[in-house]
Amino acid sequence: MRRMMTFAKRCFAEVLRDPLSLLFGLGFPLVLLLLLSAIQANVPVELFEIERLTPGITVFGLSFMTLFSATLVSRDRESALLQRLYTTPMTGCDFILGYMLPLLPMAVGQTVICYAFAALLGLTLQVNIVYAVIGIIPVAVFNIALGLLCGSVLGVKQVGGICGALLTNLSAWLSGVWFDISLVGGGFEKAANLLPFVHAVEMERALLSGNIELAAGHMLPVALYSIAVTGGAVACFLLQMKKQ
Amino acid sequence: MNAVEIKGLRKLYRNITAVEELSLEIKKGELFSLLGTNGAGKTTAVKMLSCLTRPTEGDALVGGHSIVKEPDKVKAIIGVSPQENAVAKNLTARENLELICGIHGFSREKTCERIKELSAQLLPMEVLERKAGKLSGGWQRRLSIAMSLVSEPDILFLDEPTLGLDVMARYELWDVINALRGRVTIVLTTHYMEEAEALSDRVGIMKEGRLLTVGTPAELKAKTGEDKFERAFVSIVREGNT
């Protein structure tokens, strides 16, 4: 436990001391909220109403957690730091929890700041915000585990391309944050519904509006994806650890 | 008494033999250097001895513990400084040392005490508070060695500790390694002949995964009839071809 906490503390510091993390993790979602709210004020669009927009932005913002965790793991693998730590009494469990746990409070903190900022832009302060913040946890676990998985198999440059560009775009396009995916319909809609992104956004919207039943329906695929991706991430990390 | 007893270690990577039938004994407190050309198997041998990679065949006792059956016990008594600087670059030098102290389960008091000791030996206070990524190559290497010494290991593995350092930094690091002599058993790999000659009690020369010979630098010079250690090395490696 102590070993894991020490390693987690180190990972927390590594991410927080990277100025790009703060810029993208916090700055980007807030800028998006501000910009889209400004557009909404001039050209009203239902999708960009603050009650619908904020949950979407909080989910989209978490895609940066994937980038952070993937970059952290792949950098450690390439820098030989992991090699050193593999020669200490640290176990696979210490590593995995040490990488994942510090990003969880960051993800929750990012969501809280987004909601606080949205309140300044007109979102009504209500108890449902607390439910939405709690509901973000499985989404955060999914994103962080996806980063651990990518970081275990990809190099630093590949992580930048795949997690920084591809996954961020994928989660944006297939989440229904920017446009209603039912308007596209067909295979696109089916693909989006098979993936967790749109369910995560709908779950957050439902939680914010107080519709717990609808939220529970969307939470199921999100939870299943979180469990599956976490399992895959653990397997990939242990495999590369063994290969070392 | 032997600190390391290697018995027929072999490592295959698919069809490539990285280390073949390595058998060797290293005495407690000895500074033993493994020399060889690129791809000789030095780093693979160190990786097996430090439980980073599992041997395909054979075993070794490190501090009396089997690297195959008791890797956790081996890990508890060794320190490893890999070829590259294995430091967390966004943390300060002090935080890097604290990280390793925490991983070894030291109390806050012991952590402070150990950092103070290592600082006196290797890293001045002003360096301790600087970010590892901002330190020069020489200081990063010192930090890397300091991290491997945190747990007060019985056996220390240094994989090419002075690779890429300028002459001054290299000489400073030699002083550090010399200061550890006798207290810790050191297994060192290097490409630099003068380094091996200056530091080592005994030297093992490897080529294409095989250990060609073992002896003191003076013995190897006498054996080959060369007056310079580098020429003795070349002669042994060339003979190993035939």
Side-chain angles (χ1 to χ4, degrees):
Chain A
M1 185 70 176
R2 190 182 152 86
R3 281 194 296 256
M4 184 276 286
M5 289 305 290
T6 304
F7 186 61
K9 197 176 146 194
R10 170 262 161 182
C11 293
F12 191 76
E14 283 273 355
V15 175
L16 273 194
R17 286 178 191 177
D18 187 348
L20 280 179
S21 303
L22 290 177
L23 188 71
F24 279 96
L26 205 56
F28 198 51
L30 296 187
V31 168
L32 281 175
L33 265 176
L34 192 64
L35 272 179
L36 294 170
S37 297
I39 292 171
Q40 165 70 14
N42 291 314
V43 189
V45 183
E46 193 195 338
L47 199 65
F48 294 160
E49 284 169 2
I50 199 77
E51 290 79 14
R52 286 181 62 78
L53 180 66
T54 314
I57 294 288
T58 58
V59 170
F60 174 69
L62 291 182
S63 60
F64 293 108
M65 291 296 151
T66 307
L67 179 63
F68 300 159
S69 67
T71 307
L72 187 62
V73 178
S74 61
R75 260 194 206 152
D76 281 354
R77 281 175 51 227
E78 288 187 8
S79 74
L81 181 70
L82 273 186
Q83 222 181 79
R84 172 194 292 287
L85 297 180
Y86 289 158
T87 64
T88 68
M90 276 186 78
T91 63
C93 185
D94 292 331
F95 281 110
I96 289 159
L97 291 177
Y99 275 124
M100 291 185 72
L101 287 185
L103 288 167
L104 211 52
M106 277 187 214
V108 173
Q110 184 192 48
T111 305
V112 170
I113 291 170
C114 276
Y115 275 109
F117 193 67
L120 295 176
L121 297 172
L123 181 74
T124 313
L125 283 175
Q126 50 185 316
V127 72
N128 291 345
I129 292 177
V130 177
Y131 302 144
V133 171
I134 294 168
I136 209 82
I137 292 172
V139 189
V141 170
F142 165 76
N143 281 281
I144 295 165
L146 190 60
L148 179 62
L149 194 153
C150 291
S152 300
V153 295
L154 303 172
V156 177
K157 281 184 184 169
Q158 292 166 308
V159 158
I162 291 178
C163 297
L166 187 70
L167 274 174
T168 315
N169 271 294
L170 203 69
S171 67
W173 288 86
L174 297 167
S175 63
V177 179
W178 316 114
F179 55 87
D180 189 343
I181 54 166
S182 64
L183 293 177
V184 184
F188 184 85
E189 188 181 3
K190 280 181 190 162
N193 282 321
L194 284 173
L195 291 167
F197 309 111
V198 71
H199 296 291
V201 172
E202 289 305 326
M203 178 187 77
E204 282 296 291
R205 282 175 178 161
L207 283 171
L208 189 63
S209 66
N211 190 339
I212 303 294
E213 201 178 324
L214 181 63
H218 285 295
M219 188 178 268
L220 185 67
V222 174
L224 288 176
Y225 263 101
S226 297
I227 293 166
V229 172
T230 304
V234 169
C236 285
F237 186 84
L238 293 179
L239 192 70
Q240 70 82 29
M241 191 175 167
K242 204 176 167 191
K243 271 188 185 170
Q244 282 285 330
Chain B
M1 192 184 166
N2 291 326
V4 180
E5 288 179 25
I6 307 172
K7 302 166 185 171
L9 273 192
R10 188 166 186 245
K11 183 67 186 178
L12 286 176
Y13 288 111
R14 294 204 176 99
N15 295 327
I16 298 163
T17 306
V19 172
E20 183 71 272
E21 277 299 316
L22 179 64
S23 294
L24 179 66
E25 288 173 356
I26 299 168
K27 293 185 201 85
K28 199 174 174 187
E30 190 176 19
L31 199 157
F32 187 92
S33 293
L34 272 177
L35 301 185
T37 50
N38 287 333
K42 310 181 293 290
T43 297
T44 306
V46 167
K47 278 186 173 179
M48 284 192 282
L49 294 175
S50 54
C51 304
L52 265 175
T53 188
R54 210 180 154 83
T56 311
E57 276 177 36
D59 198 356
L61 298 179
V62 175
H65 304 294
S66 160
I67 59 166
V68 177
K69 293 176 194 147
E70 305 166 288
D72 290 340
K73 286 185 178 168
V74 173
K75 285 177 182 181
I77 57 159
I78 63 168
V80 181
S81 179
Q83 209 172 84
E84 299 147 66
N85 293 329
V87 298
K89 294 194 173 170
N90 275 333
L91 302 189
T92 63
R94 180 189 292 280
E95 287 168 337
N96 268 281
L97 294 173
E98 284 171 351
L99 168 69
I100 304 297
C101 288
I103 283 170
H104 284 282
F106 290 3
S107 64
R108 188 168 290 183
E109 293 74 30
K110 192 172 177 191
T111 299
C112 288
E113 190 186 309
R114 198 69 195 112
I115 291 175
K116 213 171 167 183
E117 285 166 7
L118 288 165
S119 168
Q121 283 174 47
L122 288 154
L123 300 159
M125 281 297 178
E126 64 270 21
V127 173
L128 271 185
E129 307 309 331
R130 286 169 61 193
K131 269 193 185 178
K134 302 279 182 199
L135 296 174
S136 68
W139 284 117
Q140 281 196 31
R141 201 60 60 88
R142 274 178 174 240
L143 172 60
S144 189
I145 292 176
M147 286 165 80
S148 63
L149 288 170
V150 160
S151 62
E152 298 178 86
D154 295 338
I155 299 151
L156 178 64
F157 295 96
L158 300 174
D159 195 4
E160 309 215 16
T162 61
L163 186 72
L165 297 187
D166 63 40
V167 178
M168 291 311 292
R170 190 184 302 170
Y171 270 78
E172 283 174 9
L173 216 50
W174 285 9
D175 291 341
V176 170
I177 294 168
N178 264 321
L180 295 169
R181 182 186 288 279
R183 283 191 289 146
V184 184
T185 305
I186 302 175
V187 180
L188 177 145
T189 74
T190 183
H191 273 296
Y192 302 116
M193 298 304 129
E194 73 277 21
E195 181 167 291
E197 189 177 14
L199 296 176
S200 318
D201 295 315
R202 282 191 308 149
V203 167
I205 297 178
M206 293 184 76
K207 186 190 176 187
E208 292 167 2
R210 289 182 181 276
L211 184 66
L212 298 177
T213 189
V214 175
T216 64
E219 283 169 354
L220 298 182
K221 282 193 283 189
K223 190 176 168 184
T224 52
E226 299 286 355
D227 59 344
K228 290 204 166 134
F229 183 63
E230 186 167 309
R231 294 191 69 85
F233 169 81
V234 171
S235 170
I236 290 165
V237 172
R238 276 192 182 151
E239 267 182 40
N241 264 336
T242 54

